[in-house]
Amino acid sequence: MSILGPVLIVIATVAAMEGVAYSVHRWIMHGPLGWGWHNSHHEDRHGPFEKNDLYAVVFALLSILLFMLGGRWWPWLWWIGIGMSVYGVIYFVVHDGLVHQRWPFRYVPRQGYFRRLYQAHRLHHAVEGRDDCVSFGFVYAPPVDDLKARLRASGALAERRSRHKDAWQPESGAD
């Protein structure tokens, strides 16, 4: 096998993984089957890990399985495992590190692609609960203005503002 074949398999797998990640995030993690793990990601984290991190373990185990099958019988599966692993590293650096600041330092991008990605994912978390969220991809972000328009149209932000406003009550007798 020439080097071109494996390189193309890895690149195609990384690209395909964004579609897989979008689909899993949208319809499994935010669906009734996966919300039990994923809701921890939409709440305040206490400690270095959250239940949602189990999804990374599942994808790592799938990648390991591909390495095993590819090493034993079908070599092209090994290269797909490499592509999944590369996507996992990208996810860890961009999503966990850049967006959710799970690094030991804080960096907020001020311009360009990373700013758009950061803003899109912050808008994903602007909605409480699993419904009416936007932007389910991890390395692709739709235009921020489009996401804001979708959030306004859904009424989810107005509902959130109303809920938080009603939750605050001044103490009786306070001056």
Side-chain angles (χ1 to χ4, degrees):
M1 182 184 295
S2 77
I3 192 68
L4 182 60
V7 168
L8 291 176
I9 290 172
V10 170
I11 291 169
T13 301
V14 170
M17 281 304 299
E18 178 65 1
V20 169
Y22 175 96
S23 298
V24 168
H25 188 196
R26 173 68 183 94
W27 290 291
I28 295 176
M29 293 179 180
H30 278 257
L33 294 176
W35 185 248
W37 285 3
H38 189 62
N39 71 339
S40 68
H41 184 64
H42 286 263
E43 298 171 348
D44 291 336
R45 186 170 27 88
H46 306 286
F49 299 106
E50 55 193 38
K51 203 172 198 179
N52 183 68
D53 293 335
L54 291 171
Y55 284 110
V57 173
V58 168
F59 277 104
L61 291 173
L62 288 172
S63 186
I64 290 168
L65 178 64
L66 290 172
F67 283 125
M68 291 170 49
L69 293 172
R72 179 88 172 158
W73 292 291
W74 301 292
W76 54 274
L77 288 178
W78 196 86
W79 293 103
I80 292 173
I82 290 285
M84 283 183 70
S85 298
V86 168
Y87 186 85
V89 169
I90 293 168
Y91 169 88
F92 175 75
V93 170
V94 172
H95 179 263
D96 286 350
L98 178 69
V99 175
H100 288 289
Q101 305 294 318
R102 290 175 81 174
W103 291 335
F105 59 89
R106 184 162 172 81
Y107 171 73
V108 177
R110 302 281 181 228
Q111 60 186 2
Y113 163 76
F114 287 112
R115 178 172 187 223
R116 178 171 151 176
L117 193 62
Y118 180 85
Q119 288 177 315
H121 201 75
R122 301 311 294 170
L123 288 170
H124 173 80
H125 284 270
V127 176
E128 292 182 8
R130 65 186 180 103
D131 299 322
D132 296 319
C133 289
V134 296
S135 189
F136 292 92
F138 293 111
V139 295
Y140 169 74
V144 173
D145 290 339
D146 293 352
L147 297 174
K148 288 178 180 179
R150 285 177 47 205
L151 284 170
R152 279 191 298 274
S154 74
L157 292 181
E159 181 182 315
R160 180 180 180 183
R161 271 188 241 111
S162 172
R163 227 187 340 231
H164 286 285
K165 183 183 74 167
D166 293 342
W168 181 81
Q169 296 294 326
E171 293 180 26
S172 59
D175 293 22

